[in-house]
């Protein structure tokens, strides 16, 4: 299957700082990538759709100024959590479709802990 | 009512058992049905991908889709401790529509 690489795997930061998470498609090009958030024992919640060369599309209730998404190339999307607060602590996962839009391949996830 | 319903478990079975995992859904527009396996603190891994109704087999895994009942299943034969994980069903109407995920079923396969 296709490989999606996500870094870092975990990050601890102080409240008020910004954190950047990278998502790369290693063996395919991805014009679209998705960013999800997952709380313990809960399912994936779609936060935004990242589009190469254009603005991201955010789901209802997701603050676009807080969760900055940049999709600068066909293999890289980044999510920056700005001015992080403890309530932003969560597991963030990116994904990208390879050969079909419905066939998503996921990164390994990033556990963010904001102190 | 949620669009996709999935029993969260946990489901505990002995090694070697046949496991049946299920999801029901309400949106008749769903055409694509997926099963993902997620280990703790890891990203989901695509296990099975099916289109429309019918069965699909891949090794010890069999996916079934019954669109008339709006019911999908994943069967795992000869279950192993390494199968212990959370299994998520996901569905899409296609045409660029986003995936809708179930909440996941936690499976424990015990020695």
């Amino acid at each position: 299957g296709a490989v999606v690489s996500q870094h870092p795997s975990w990050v601890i930061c102080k409240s008020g700082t910004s954190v950047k998470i990278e998502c790369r498609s290693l063996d395919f090009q991805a014009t679209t990538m998705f960013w999800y958030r997952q709380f313990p024992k809960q399912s994936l919640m779609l936060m935004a759709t990242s589009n190469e060369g254009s603005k991201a599309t955010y789901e209802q209730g997701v603050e676009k100024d807080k969760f900055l998404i940049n999709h600068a190339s066909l293999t890289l999307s980044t999510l920056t959590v700005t001015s992080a607060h403890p309530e932003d602590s969560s597991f963030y996962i990116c994904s990208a479709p390879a050969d079909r839009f419905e066939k998503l391949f996921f990164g390994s996830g990033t556990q963010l802990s904001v102190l | 009512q949620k669009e996709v319903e999935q029993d969260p478990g946990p489901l505990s079975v002995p090694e070697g058992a046949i496991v049946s995992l299920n999801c029901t859904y309400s949106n008749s527009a769903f055409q694509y049905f997926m099963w993902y396996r997620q280990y703790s603190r890891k990203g989901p891994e695509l296990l099975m991908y099916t289109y429309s109704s019918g069965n699909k087999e891949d090794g010890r895994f069999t996916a079934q889709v019954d669109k008339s009942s709006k019911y999908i299943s994943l069967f795992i034969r000869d279950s192993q401790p390494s199968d212990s994980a959370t299994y998520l069903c996901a569905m899409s109407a296609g045409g660029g529509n986003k995936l809708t995920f179930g909440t996941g079923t936690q499976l424990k396969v015990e020695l």
Side-chain angles (χ1 to χ4, degrees), chain A residues 33-113:
Chain A
M33 290 187 176
F34 300 96
W35 287 95
Y36 291 85
R37 186 173 180 176
Q38 187 177 36
F39 291 103
K41 298 188 184 296
Q42 293 189 26
S43 191
L44 302 168
M45 183 188 80
L46 180 64
M47 298 175 63
T49 302
S50 171
N51 304 297
E52 188 269 334
S54 64
K55 291 183 179 180
T57 305
Y58 291 82
E59 296 299 301
Q60 191 173 8
V62 177
E63 300 177 60
K64 61 181 180 181
D65 294 331
K66 180 165 194 59
F67 298 101
L68 299 179
I69 291 173
N70 184 277
H71 196 148
S73 77
L74 288 172
T75 59
L76 174 64
S77 175
T78 60
L79 168 68
T80 301
V81 184
T82 62
S83 187
H85 287 94
E87 57 266 29
D88 298 325
S89 298
S90 188
F91 192 58
Y92 294 87
I93 318 174
C94 69
S95 69
D99 52 1
R100 286 200 63 91
F101 197 80
E102 302 81 15
K103 213 171 185 180
L104 290 184
F105 292 88
F106 285 83
S108 55
T110 298
Q111 179 63 51
L112 170 63
S113 295

